[in-house]
Structure formats: structure tokens, C-alpha cells
Amino acid sequence: MLINPIPQTQSDLISDYYIPQRKRVLSMKIVFMFIITLLLANLAVGQTERQWSDFIEKRIAVQVGDNLDEREANRIFKTKDVVQFQEFGEMLEAVKLRKTDAALKPDYFVNSLKTQERYSDLEVIYIPEDLYKIEDGAVCRNEEICAQFNEFLAKIKADGTLAEMNARWRENETFPDTLPKIELSGENGTLIVAGASGFAPMSFLGRDNEIVGFQIETMQRFAQFLGKKMDYRDMSYGGILLYVSSGKADISAASFDLTEERKQSAIMSDGINKLLAVLVVKRTDLALPTETKTENAFITWVKTGVERNLITENRWKMISNGLGVTMLISIAAQFFGTIFACLICFLLLRNNKFIRWLANLYCGFIYGTPAVVLLMITYYIIFGSVDISNILVAIAAFTMVNGAVIAQNLKGAIETIDTVEIEAARSIGFSSFKAFATITLPQAVRRALPAYTNGFVELVKATAIVGFIAIQDLTRAGDIIRSRTYDAYFPLIFIALIYLIVTTICVQLFKLIIKKINNEGTGQ
Amino acid sequence: MSMISIKNLEKRFGKNVILHNVNAEIERGEVISIIGPSGTGKSTLLRAINFLDAPTGGEVFFDGVKLTSKNMDSIRRRMGMVFQNFGLFSHLDVMANLTAGPVKLLKKSKEEAEEKAMELLKAVGLAERARYFPRQLSGGQKQRVAIARCLAMSPEVILFDEPTSALDPTMVSEVIAVMRNLAKSGMTMLVVTHEMDFAREVSNRVFYIDDGGIYEDGSPEQIFENPKKPKTRNFIYKIRSFAYYVSGMNFDYVEMLSGIENFCFRHAIEKKSANRLQLLAEELILNIVAPKYGACSLNLNFSEKLGTYELSISYSGENSNALETAEDDLSVMMVKKSSKTMRHEYLDGKNIITLTL
């Protein structure tokens, strides 16, 4: 918008002077001067205090699930250009990188944003209160919990606990990194809470790799109010609503904005705090960044990155635990997937058309569905009413996926074996099973192994989605660290590196195995 | 008791009957060559005997035991088979190819199996290739390994399914040599082959397969020197035929002549002979047969093997030899002069005059 469109009269001017050569040069000069004047005027405007209305018809970012959603952004800013984000941190990065002009959000994070050097180039603009209506609340499993939570809210509002909590977390530029001591008796059982640690001070990674923040304290106090223990489960923000609605958790720590649609399907409590809507925008009064990145700057970046994201408070432990979880799921899913694949492959090679059709249908279903959707289906539908560890659910889901992939691979390999060899084995007196075991299978396995290796690497990478069902794998560990350190790039790059190293090691291991197997068959 | 006895064997693929009503008794020590045109079911017969493609009718007995799909696994240990495309186990080396059967099926110790395998490899001249993989061997070597692999099971009979058809011509002899030795040692063999020299010299019995069964069965001398039935003869003498139907006096004789010319050209018959054949056909039909008897048909047979031509004319009517009753003496004289032998037959109301050149 720096260069305004030339007014109609002005462009007419150009055509009037177009014919005589010298006059044309003169007229171009006039037009240039005009444009430059406009530019300067625009810059001058930019340096004055900006208002929300400056962002009308601009590109606005919103977070999925907010009351200030796409429709609201359309309405307030009269724009069709709305980008939706799953995570708040990603929205801020998009604003920093000018991928979007402004981020629309309730104001609870404003204080913490000011304290972050990383976001010093962002500023906050308040939107007049008469333009919107924000209602938010916690999602509850059932009406009973909702009623209890509302009762609890009324109590903490009345006795000043809420004011105290607000003072602790939200009203100052600094806030603690641990929770106050809250005694939980647990005499009435356990309160299962689903949350998405993402942004301070609401919920974030605190000291000793514990998730802390305003929302967590609220839930602890609610658990105390109920006389229960608290079991906090962290997951991607997008997964929470389903998690609670399906009864896997009692209540959400994260607050959800209350929309008309949601009132139909989800049970939501009263609002906790009155929230204001703000726009986060990039400052315009900053000097242009000077490109002075030298090798030194890179080394410093790595050093501080390692210090902040890995060494402080032993955060590397989260990474190593996450890696452990990733590898556990991958290896188990590969192992069980292989066994499962043998079964499917057996069915795929039957003469019975119906059985073959069934097996093919299964493989087709797996091929045609995104892994993340299958994971959710496994979690909420297949194991919906069974109380088993989330990691087991992930292993089961990836076993299903991997089983189909390996089965097709193995079937393909078996079909390439020369039928003459099988006939030759039969003609010596091998039964069909023995011929399969001694001739077909060893050769098929050899042919299938390269694709099997690739399959495993794909699997390791595919497990990055388990964050959706509250598993802290390698990817999720990186996200959590990012939420704490506000360092957008270092954890991402570090985690990418770990994936790369792990997969490379796996590929090399498989290659060794393949080499070993190919050297067999010499009879010695 | 015969070693293998085949009774009313039938093999069909869907509606397509390949073999029917096949009967044969095969004695111990017989080396039987199975010959015949392509697509007549030679390989099918072998594969039906050892149930790789189980017969759809009839029975096969081995040593008095009726073969079924169920007892075949144990019978096959005594009935080896050698394939056109070798069928060596490509993930195993030569030695392991030979010992797989004896160790896994006959429960021999590995040492014993390897010792025997080594002897067999020596016998087929491949002892030093014991640790090679099949992909490292030539076609002839592969086939010799395949034969040795069969022998490792100490079979009582070996079925060979076109063992030299997939080989480079230079490698055929090395495989034939091994088979010749095997025959000398008294092994019972059934060999589907296109190698007529092998069939003639090595085997002591020949099955000529045609018309969905064993069309002619006899000693090599009988089949090769004096085949009795027409199809056998055609096959043995590699006879090529040309037929033309003459509708009457006004037939398109240019078409007939160019037909003969094309036929001669296709079978590389020299120009001089081609001209003679054309002339002869023209004289016979235009001047001798057609004027008197009207419609007739011409048949021209050429034996690649013997280099002889046979020209026959058939026409219906009463028993009469056109050459004797012909009015055009000059034509008859010409015909008589240019043909080696002449024959007249009367069969089923048809006169047939056959000339050989």
C-alpha cells in the first residue's frame, strides 16, 4: 500500500503529454515527483500511532478455535484474506516475517510479549470493545463438571483468588516459572485435564521441565476444590476439543472461545477473565535490519541456542525422552507391522476372491487415508472406550498403517519370483509350503528389503503426528521447548538434525543387514 | 509291471482339450523321445505325468501306485524333472542348489549330501563351479547343474522338458553329452525335444505327439526311416504343402501359378524347380484333368529334409486314370518325362494321381 494507485486524472495527464518526446520526459518527471510525495506521505503516516482501522482489508491471521475467528476477521476488517493458524507462536512468526499483516487475538499474552526480546519488533493495537464480543470458557466432559467449574469460578472471583492469580501471572511483565504450592488430597479421585502448552503466561514449560502457567494453576485449584488429584495431559491445541468431548479428559486447561456452533456440541463453562481483542503487528519505526551475519554471529546463535534450548534446566532430557518415545513407537510399529503384514500378505495371495478383495480393501483404505486421520480414528473410535496408554494406541495405529504398506511390498516381491524356480522345487519333491519357505520367501525378502528400509524411515518421520493424541515425542518436545524459550528456529533445526541422524543410522544398519543376508546362500 | 503306465489320460485347459485318451506303458531303462509339432501337448504330457499340471482325466501309475495330488510330493522325489529354463534357485549357489533337496527332504547329513553333490558335479564337468551362483554360469552350465540337481535326489526316472531349447546353439552339445551318458548308465528318461539327432541316436523309443495324443509310437528306426502315418511323415520329412482348388475349365490359372511361385519363394526352392512345377501343374490341369473331369484340386508337397517334391491331383468320378485316358498325348508324354514316379489311386470315389519329382 505504499504506492497508491495513480488517480485517474493523473494518468490522463500522461496520455496528454505522450506525443512530443521532450514534453513526455517532463511529464514523467512530474509523475515521479508525485509518486515520491505520496510515498513520503505514507511513511509519515506510518510513523504516527497506528490504529486498528489501518488494517481494514489487510491480511489478518487468526487462531483456529478462537472466538475471533475467520468470520469475525472478515466482519471487522472487511477482508477476505484471513489466514488460520493452529498455534499462537506460529501466528507471531508469520507477523514477524510479514507473511501476514496482523494477528487477531484476545489480549492475555500481551504482558509476556513485551518481555520477549525475540518479539521486540512486534507491537499490540487494541480494538474498540464495541466491535466484538469474546466469550470464553473451559470445555467440560459433562454438565456436572461444568456446573462444578462454574461454582468454583464464582468462588475464586468472590474470595480474591482470581485477582491474586491474575496479579501473579498476567498483570506484570515478569511472572514465575513454577506454580505455587497447592495441596491436592486426591480423596475424590483424579481430575484429568487436557491442555496445550504453547504460550506464556497461560501455560508453558517452566522450571524442571514442568508445564506451568495461569491455566495450570486454575486447574490445580479446581482439582483442590473438588478434592481430587490432577492428571495433566499435554497435546496439540487442535486435539483438545475432541479429547475432552470424547470423554478422555474431564476438562480443558486451555480456554476456548464460546461460539454459537460450539454451544451445540461442546459443554463450555463460564468465562474466567474478561478478555480484550488486540492486533499484533510488526513495528514500522524500526531501522531496516542490517545484514551483518558473519560466521561469528552464526556460532553465537548456535551457542545461545544450545544454552537456552538444551542445557538450561536440562531441557535436553525432554529431547532425549521424546526421541525415546519416537523410536519406541517406530520400532514397535515396524515389528508388529511386519508380523501383521505377513498375515495380510497371506490373505492377499489366497485364491479365494472374497478374501483377496477384503485384504485389498483394507490396504486401499490405509493408502487412501492420511496417517493423522487414522491415528485419530484409532484413538477416539477403536480404542475410544478402552483405557490404555496413548503410546500403545499410537503403536497400534502405526502397526495398521505399516502392515498394509509392508504387505503390499512383500506381495510385490513374492510375485516377481520366477515361477520356474518354484516348479523346480516342487518337481524335486518340496511341498508347496516348503517350496515357499525355502525358495520364494528368502528371495522375496531380499527383494523387499530396500523398500522395507525406506518404509521404516517413512515411519520414523510419520510418527511426528502423535502429538495429536497427547504423546510427547521428539517433534512435540521441540514444540514445548519453543513455547518456553520463544526461540522459533533453533529447536526446529535441532530436531530436524536429530531425525536426520537417526534415520541415517537406521538406513546404514539396514544396509549392513542386507549385505549380510546377500552373502548367505553359499551353503557354507 | 511297467514303471509308468498312463491310462486314458486327459488334460484340458477350460474348454480347450490338449490331450485326450493317452495311453502308454513305459518300462524301466527306456529312453523315450517325445517329438512333434509345437502346441500339440508334448510338454503338457510331461507336466501331467508329474502333476505339475494335474491331468483332468484318466490315471497315471508309478510303480503300480496311482498318482494323486496328495502323494505326489513323495513320488516326485523319485521322478526328477529338468526344465527348459533351468529353474535353478537363484539365491543359492551351485552346491546349495544340489544339496537343498537331499538335506531338507531326504534328511541326509550336509556332509553326505555335499560329498554326493561333488561327485555329480564332477560327472557333469562342473566341480570347480560348486561355489558359483546360477547368475554366474552360462546356459549350458546351468542346465548341467539342473541335471545334477535332479540326480542328487537319486531319481528312478527323469523327465526332460525341452532341455536344450533355451540354449545358445554352441551349448547344446555339452548338455546332450551329459544326457547321452545318463542314457548309457541305464536311467529311464522321457525327453521332450526338438533335437532329432538326439531322438534318433540316443533314445530307444519315440513318441510322435499330434492330434491330442500319442499319434505314432515306435523305435527311432521305425519313426525316422519309415514313418507309417501321414502326419508323422510330414513332420519327419519336414513337409511343406500348397493346395489349390480348381473350379473347372475356366479357373483363374494365373492365380494358381503365382500361388505356386510364392510357395516356392517362401521355401527357398530354386527357380528352375519352381518353373518345372508350374509347367507340370499347368499341363496336368489344363490339358489332362480339367477338360475331362472338370473340378479338381491340386496339392503340392515339398520335403525340406529330402529335397523332394510331390504333386498330386484329385478329382471325383469313376475309377479312371486321367493319364491313361487323356487325348493329348504330347502333354502326357511331357508329364511322364519330367516326373520320377507316377501313381494312381482310387479312394472313396476320388481319383488321386501322385507324381514325385
Side-chain angles (χ1 to χ4, degrees):
Chain A
M1 274 304 283
L2 286 180
I3 301 174
N4 271 353
I6 300 166
Q8 195 59 38
T9 51
Q10 203 67 32
S11 57
D12 286 342
L13 253 177
I14 300 175
S15 53
D16 284 348
Y17 283 97
Y18 190 72
I19 307 144
Q21 194 59 244
R22 193 173 283 176
K23 278 185 181 172
R24 188 181 145 206
V25 174
L26 182 71
S27 73
M28 290 301 277
K29 272 186 186 167
I30 294 170
V31 172
F32 269 126
M33 281 173 69
F34 182 80
I35 291 171
I36 286 167
T37 322
L38 274 180
L39 269 171
L40 288 174
N42 247 317
L43 279 177
V45 170
Q47 271 165 2
T48 61
E49 190 81 1
R50 285 188 297 174
Q51 291 182 344
W52 71 275
S53 51
D54 290 333
F55 291 89
I56 285 173
E57 292 184 355
K58 294 288 178 62
R59 174 178 281 201
I60 308 291
V62 298
Q63 188 171 4
V64 176
D66 262 358
N67 210 321
L68 297 164
D69 62 0
E70 191 188 4
R71 237 178 352 172
E72 284 291 284
N74 287 341
R75 188 179 60 79
I76 301 173
F77 294 98
K78 302 176 179 60
T79 175
K80 289 256 175 282
D81 199 0
V82 177
V83 207
Q84 304 198 45
F85 285 87
Q86 285 284 351
E87 306 282 341
F88 183 47
E90 287 166 13
M91 272 167 90
L92 294 184
E93 286 305 318
V95 175
K96 269 174 73 79
L97 296 171
R98 293 183 196 278
K99 288 188 190 301
T100 175
D101 296 307
L104 180 63
K105 190 69 192 160
D107 71 334
Y108 52 73
F109 60 88
V110 168
N111 279 324
S112 78
L113 190 72
K114 285 177 190 157
T115 64
Q116 297 300 324
E117 200 194 333
R118 169 154 191 81
Y119 294 120
S120 58
D121 55 347
L122 299 182
E123 63 180 338
V124 168
I125 298 172
Y126 279 85
I127 300 172
E129 281 182 57
D130 54 344
L131 280 173
Y132 58 87
K133 185 174 149 215
I134 305 179
E135 268 189 288
D136 75 328
V139 183
C140 306
R141 181 161 63 88
N142 56 31
E143 295 288 355
E144 187 195 346
I145 291 169
C146 189
Q148 287 170 338
F149 188 68
N150 289 342
E151 193 188 326
F152 161 74
L153 269 185
K155 178 175 162 277
I156 59 170
K157 278 176 185 167
D159 68 8
T161 315
L162 182 63
E164 188 192 314
M165 278 164 60
N166 277 334
R168 173 159 42 248
W169 300 103
R170 302 180 67 218
E171 281 160 16
N172 295 314
E173 293 200 353
T174 56
F175 44 81
D177 59 1
T178 58
L179 293 169
K181 191 84 182 143
I182 297 167
E183 290 295 337
L184 298 178
S185 61
E187 62 206 24
N188 294 333
T190 307
L191 179 74
I192 302 171
V193 178
S197 63
F199 214 84
M202 303 312 278
S203 74
F204 60 100
L205 189 67
R207 196 191 294 164
D208 303 329
N209 295 331
E210 228 186 332
I211 310 289
V212 299
F214 176 84
Q215 291 171 344
I216 311 297
E217 185 181 341
T218 310
M219 284 305 147
Q220 286 222 341
R221 290 196 185 278
F222 180 45
Q224 187 186 38
F225 173 77
L226 296 175
K228 289 184 175 181
K229 277 202 160 58
M230 188 180 85
D231 177 3
Y232 176 76
R233 295 178 183 173
D234 199 69
M235 65 196 70
S236 307
Y237 185 76
I240 294 178
L241 206 58
L242 192 55
Y243 201 89
V244 178
S245 307
S246 69
K248 297 254 175 200
D250 295 316
I251 192 164
S252 73
S255 65
F256 283 81
D257 295 351
L258 196 53
T259 62
E260 281 307 315
E261 272 174 305
R262 261 191 204 140
K263 281 178 193 161
Q264 314 265 327
S265 56
I267 303 160
M268 312 234 342
S269 73
D270 297 341
I272 302 167
N273 276 308
K274 179 176 156 41
L275 296 172
L276 298 171
V278 291
L279 280 178
V280 184
V281 300
K282 182 121 174 156
R283 293 171 102 102
T284 50
D285 51 357
L286 295 171
L288 285 171
T290 44
E291 290 292 330
T292 51
K293 273 199 176 169
T294 58
E295 201 184 15
N296 258 339
F298 176 72
I299 291 170
T300 322
W301 178 75
V302 172
K303 268 187 186 158
T304 52
V306 170
E307 176 65 36
R308 278 156 50 93
N309 294 294
L310 302 177
I311 296 171
T312 312
E313 295 175 3
N314 286 340
R315 282 178 191 143
W316 59 268
K317 275 189 181 163
M318 294 198 68
I319 300 270
S320 65
N321 288 344
L323 177 63
V325 170
T326 292
M327 291 317 287
L328 173 69
I329 295 173
S330 303
I331 292 172
Q334 185 79 355
F335 176 75
F336 294 117
T338 306
I339 297 172
F340 186 43
C342 291
L343 176 73
I344 299 172
C345 189
F346 178 74
L347 299 180
L348 280 172
L349 295 169
R350 287 299 84 192
N351 284 328
N352 185 319
K353 267 190 186 167
F354 178 67
I355 291 177
R356 259 197 343 247
W357 178 79
L358 269 185
N360 270 316
L361 186 76
Y362 173 77
C363 291
F365 174 68
I366 297 284
Y367 268 130
T369 317
V372 63
V373 176
L374 285 171
L375 181 72
M376 303 287 240
I377 290 175
T378 317
Y379 192 54
Y380 292 110
I381 298 173
I382 300 177
F383 292 110
S385 52
V386 190
D387 188 27
I388 63 167
S389 140
N390 291 355
I391 291 185
L392 284 182
V393 173
I395 291 174
F398 282 106
T399 297
M400 277 164 52
V401 175
N402 221 22
V405 174
I406 299 173
Q408 290 287 5
N409 171 17
L410 192 61
K411 178 187 166 237
I414 286 172
E415 282 174 345
T416 63
I417 305 301
D418 195 352
T419 47
V420 182
E421 288 187 36
I422 299 157
E423 283 188 343
R426 297 299 311 272
S427 80
I428 289 176
F430 282 94
S431 64
S432 66
F433 175 76
K434 268 190 177 170
F436 178 79
T438 39
I439 307 305
T440 311
L441 199 60
Q443 294 193 50
V445 165
R446 262 159 239 224
R447 288 180 200 187
L449 265 177
Y452 187 77
T453 310
N454 290 345
F456 182 69
V457 171
E458 289 298 322
L459 176 65
V460 171
K461 293 187 291 180
T463 57
I465 56 170
V466 295
F468 271 93
I469 59 164
I471 296 174
Q472 286 189 19
D473 72 323
L474 188 53
T475 305
R476 187 79 189 121
D479 287 346
I480 293 172
I481 291 177
R482 275 205 299 164
S483 78
R484 171 72 170 127
T485 61
Y486 300 103
D487 192 339
Y489 304 123
F490 186 86
L492 276 184
I493 292 170
F494 185 70
I495 278 173
L497 254 170
I498 293 181
Y499 272 114
L500 183 67
I501 292 169
V502 167
T503 50
T504 309
I505 291 173
C506 291
V507 168
Q508 293 306 322
L509 273 177
F510 273 108
K511 274 189 180 163
L512 272 179
I513 295 170
I514 291 172
K515 208 173 164 190
K516 180 107 177 33
I517 290 178
N518 281 345
N519 283 338
E520 275 175 16
T522 56
Q524 282 177 331
Chain B
M1 185 173 46
S2 308
M3 181 182 219
I4 296 175
S5 97
I6 302 166
K7 301 225 159 91
N8 291 322
L9 182 133
E10 183 212 70
K11 176 70 196 176
R12 57 168 79 217
F13 293 102
K15 280 182 184 167
N16 200 0
V17 181
I18 309 291
L19 297 170
H20 61 90
N21 203 20
V22 178
N23 290 286
E25 299 291 324
I26 294 159
E27 305 298 331
R28 251 167 229 285
E30 277 189 320
V31 177
I32 301 176
S33 287
I34 300 173
I35 62 171
S38 329
T40 47
K42 305 186 294 293
S43 294
T44 309
L45 177 62
L46 274 202
R47 295 169 65 85
I49 290 174
N50 86 342
F51 273 61
L52 279 181
D53 289 323
T56 46
E59 293 161 338
V60 182
F61 294 87
F62 182 81
D63 245 358
V65 180
K66 184 174 179 242
L67 303 188
T68 63
S69 295
K70 282 192 178 134
N71 66 14
M72 234 17 241
D73 285 342
S74 57
I75 298 281
R76 286 204 192 103
R77 293 173 196 176
R78 300 158 62 192
M79 188 194 269
M81 180 141 177
V82 173
F83 296 83
Q84 182 177 351
N85 293 317
F86 326 123
L88 294 183
F89 309 139
S90 47
H91 63 303
L92 300 177
D93 68 5
V94 168
M95 179 56 87
N97 260 280
L98 263 67
T99 54
V103 171
K104 294 218 162 98
L105 300 174
L106 306 179
K107 305 295 170 203
K108 285 192 181 176
S109 73
K110 201 177 166 195
E111 291 69 33
E112 195 186 345
E114 289 199 342
E115 198 177 316
K116 178 164 186 198
M118 211 57 198
E119 266 172 45
L120 289 168
L121 284 177
K122 271 181 199 152
V124 298
L126 290 170
E128 60 180 8
R129 295 280 191 269
R131 291 297 165 201
Y132 281 48
F133 277 91
R135 60 176 177 274
Q136 298 166 306
L137 302 177
S138 74
Q141 290 171 332
K142 280 183 198 169
Q143 197 58 293
R144 284 186 278 155
V145 171
I147 295 171
R149 181 177 66 183
C150 252
L151 294 171
M153 297 293 287
S154 312
E156 293 162 45
V157 55
I158 301 182
L159 315 177
F160 291 84
D161 187 5
E162 303 198 19
T164 56
S165 296
L167 296 181
D168 202 284
T170 56
M171 293 169 184
V172 170
S173 59
E174 67 190 58
V175 173
I176 296 277
V178 168
M179 291 168 68
R180 195 186 294 268
N181 287 340
L182 208 53
K184 263 189 212 158
S185 72
M187 173 66 73
T188 315
M189 294 160 70
L190 266 74
V191 187
V192 171
T193 184
H194 292 294
E195 294 294 323
M196 290 306 148
D197 292 340
F198 175 87
R200 190 195 289 255
E201 289 158 27
V202 183
S203 55
N204 46 33
R205 191 173 168 193
V206 176
F207 288 171
Y208 173 75
I209 307 278
D210 209 332
D211 275 353
I214 302 174
Y215 183 82
E216 194 164 347
D217 170 5
S219 67
E221 294 74 29
Q222 188 187 330
I223 297 286
F224 286 102
E225 309 304 333
N226 192 18
K228 291 210 176 72
K229 293 186 168 179
K231 284 196 176 178
T232 318
R233 220 166 16 226
N234 286 356
F235 179 79
I236 296 295
Y237 297 147
K238 296 190 183 170
I239 288 165
R240 313 289 173 212
S241 305
F242 169 78
Y244 191 82
Y245 177 73
V246 178
S247 54
M249 224 6 228
N250 298 322
F251 79 105
D252 185 353
Y253 89 102
V254 176
E255 188 188 54
M256 180 189 77
L257 292 183
S258 67
I260 295 175
E261 195 178 325
N262 277 338
F263 170 79
C264 292
F265 179 76
R266 263 211 315 280
H267 299 291
I269 296 168
E270 53 185 303
K271 191 80 185 159
K272 210 174 112 193
S273 309
N275 284 342
R276 260 176 69 200
L277 284 169
Q278 279 174 318
L279 201 67
L280 207 57
E282 197 181 332
E283 288 294 337
L284 258 174
I285 291 170
L286 273 178
N287 298 333
I288 301 173
V289 180
K292 202 167 174 196
Y293 303 92
C296 60
S297 49
L298 169 85
N299 234 307
L300 184 61
N301 292 324
F302 163 60
S303 162
E304 275 182 37
K305 187 83 178 173
L306 307 170
T308 58
Y309 307 91
E310 195 180 75
L311 200 146
S312 65
I313 303 259
S314 65
Y315 51 93
S316 43
E318 298 196 344
N319 187 353
S320 70
N321 187 341
L323 286 172
E324 282 163 14
T325 59
E327 285 157 9
D328 193 338
D329 290 340
L330 193 69
S331 297
V332 174
M333 227 169 68
M334 265 186 66
V335 169
K336 281 185 176 169
K337 208 180 158 193
S338 51
S339 51
K340 210 189 274 172
T341 64
M342 257 186 303
R343 202 164 71 235
H344 173 257
E345 283 169 302
Y346 187 70
L347 279 173
D348 305 330
K350 264 193 170 176
N351 292 286
I352 303 168
I353 297 175
T354 310
L355 310 172
T356 56
L357 280 82

